[in-house]
Amino acid sequence: MLGEFTEEQIRRYSRHIILQEVGGKGQKKLLSSRVLCIGAGGLGSPIIQYLAAAGVGTIGIVDDDIVELSNLQRQVIHAGSLNVPKVESAKRYVESLNPDVKVVPYPERINPDNILDIIRDYDIIVDGSDNFATRYLVNDACVIAKKPLSHGSIFRFEGQVTTILPGEGPCYRCLFEHAPPAGMIPSCQEAGVIGVLPGIIGVIQATEVIKYLLGLGETLSGRLIFYDALSMSFDEIKVRRNPSCPVCGESPAIASIEAGNYLDNERVCSIG
């Protein structure tokens, strides 16, 4: 198996290869895997950084934003890229970190018209978006297309993570059936976020993705991890599938993207 790697790859991935649970076979699996990251902001930055370092062979990145100075407090992959599209900045970062990784940039906002086409060719989707409309859209599309999904969110000093495996465990709507009313959640500018928080939550998401791709351990399917940075505590909430869930329940009302109601909600700080 090691003969299939170059000498440089053996050195680069040596700490993976010597893990009995990963080995050469697992590293080869990572190099052939395809992961889509929706958002290249606070959560997207550590997710992209660690998936690229791990040798995930193809990383798709969806984001229509440009790098602003206020982003650099937490969006660590964009240093030196002010006023550059985030997908371009992220692509540059990945290419400088690991030449084995191919980046597929999507400099657009995910929406009901493009989401099924974009997610089709990926093994797992990671949601690092920054508004509720996108979060529900991504969840529904992944359930409909039977694509595994890593969800993470952050707010001020708190974060949460879960993994959604359609057909096996609960989806995001089983947790939160509807988005909160517009204006209820403060914006980033109003509420703020401690800069290290998305790093913690994003790395947990990246860990879930790698475990899923390698078939290792137990994912967070059916469990929601809640993190409080001020008390430095983790709490786990068990979650069950809701038989009445409008997208993954016994009689789903949302059987297609066209059936969903995805308002273009104001961007909020609960993700990015």
Side-chain angles (χ1 to χ4, degrees):
M1 178 64 69
L2 293 183
E4 300 178 21
F5 296 99
T6 66
E7 290 185 11
E8 182 177 330
Q9 286 176 322
I10 291 173
R11 292 197 302 271
R12 179 183 290 274
Y13 306 118
S14 62
R15 301 307 192 272
H16 274 174
I17 292 170
I18 63 175
L19 286 172
Q20 183 179 355
E21 296 85 351
V22 180
K25 183 178 180 181
Q27 188 60 52
K28 184 179 178 183
K29 173 64 176 173
L30 290 178
L31 287 164
S32 66
S33 294
R34 299 173 57 87
V35 177
L36 180 71
C37 186
I38 299 176
L43 289 175
S45 288
I47 292 165
I48 293 165
Q49 183 178 33
Y50 276 92
L51 293 182
V56 170
T58 301
I59 301 177
I61 304 174
V62 186
D63 202 304
D64 68 341
D65 207 357
I66 64 170
V67 179
E68 300 177 358
L69 188 60
S70 62
N71 299 150
L72 302 184
Q73 167 250 19
R74 63 202 177 282
Q75 299 180 20
V76 294
I77 64 175
H78 298 306
S81 298
L82 287 178
N83 301 316
V84 173
K86 288 183 180 178
V87 290
E88 182 180 328
S89 172
K91 185 173 187 290
R92 259 187 232 163
Y93 177 88
V94 171
E95 289 173 344
S96 69
L97 177 66
N98 190 347
D100 289 340
V101 180
K102 176 185 177 182
V103 174
V104 182
Y106 300 88
E108 56 192 294
R109 188 162 184 158
I110 205 86
N111 62 65
D113 295 326
N114 64 16
I115 187 166
L116 291 177
D117 285 337
I118 290 176
I119 70 174
R120 178 178 293 118
D121 295 328
Y122 290 91
D123 300 311
I124 184 170
I125 315 303
V126 192
D127 187 7
S129 61
D130 60 2
N131 65 87
F132 284 106
T134 302
R135 194 179 307 167
Y136 283 95
L137 172 63
V138 171
N139 173 80
D140 296 355
C142 286
V143 172
I144 291 167
K146 296 181 172 55
K147 294 287 184 179
L149 169 65
S150 170
H151 159 77
S153 66
I154 55 174
F155 184 72
R156 288 173 52 82
F157 298 94
E158 301 170 348
Q160 61 186 36
V161 189
T162 190
T163 297
I164 295 162
L165 301 179
E168 298 182 30
C171 76
Y172 186 72
R173 285 192 188 268
C174 292
L175 282 162
F176 311 105
E177 184 171 343
H178 301 292
M184 176 175 287
I185 305 296
S187 69
C188 283
Q189 292 177 334
E190 294 168 334
V193 60
I194 190 74
V196 297
L197 180 63
I200 297 166
I201 300 302
V203 168
I204 294 174
Q205 286 185 269
T207 305
E208 285 288 281
V209 169
I210 291 171
K211 285 165 50 188
Y212 173 80
L213 293 173
L214 295 177
L216 296 178
E218 297 181 15
T219 70
L220 286 172
S221 177
R223 298 183 288 154
L224 179 75
I225 294 293
F226 179 82
Y227 171 68
D228 185 334
L230 292 181
S231 64
M232 196 52 72
S233 62
F234 286 89
D235 292 305
E236 180 180 302
I237 301 170
K238 298 288 187 181
V239 184
R240 294 184 179 180
R241 291 182 68 181
N242 178 6
S244 301
C245 175
V247 68
C248 76
E250 295 173 357
S251 301
I254 303 173
S256 68
I257 293 299
E258 292 75 19
N261 182 20
Y262 308 106
L263 301 177
D264 188 16
N265 289 1
E266 178 183 356
R267 291 191 171 210
V268 297
C269 192
S270 52
I271 290 277

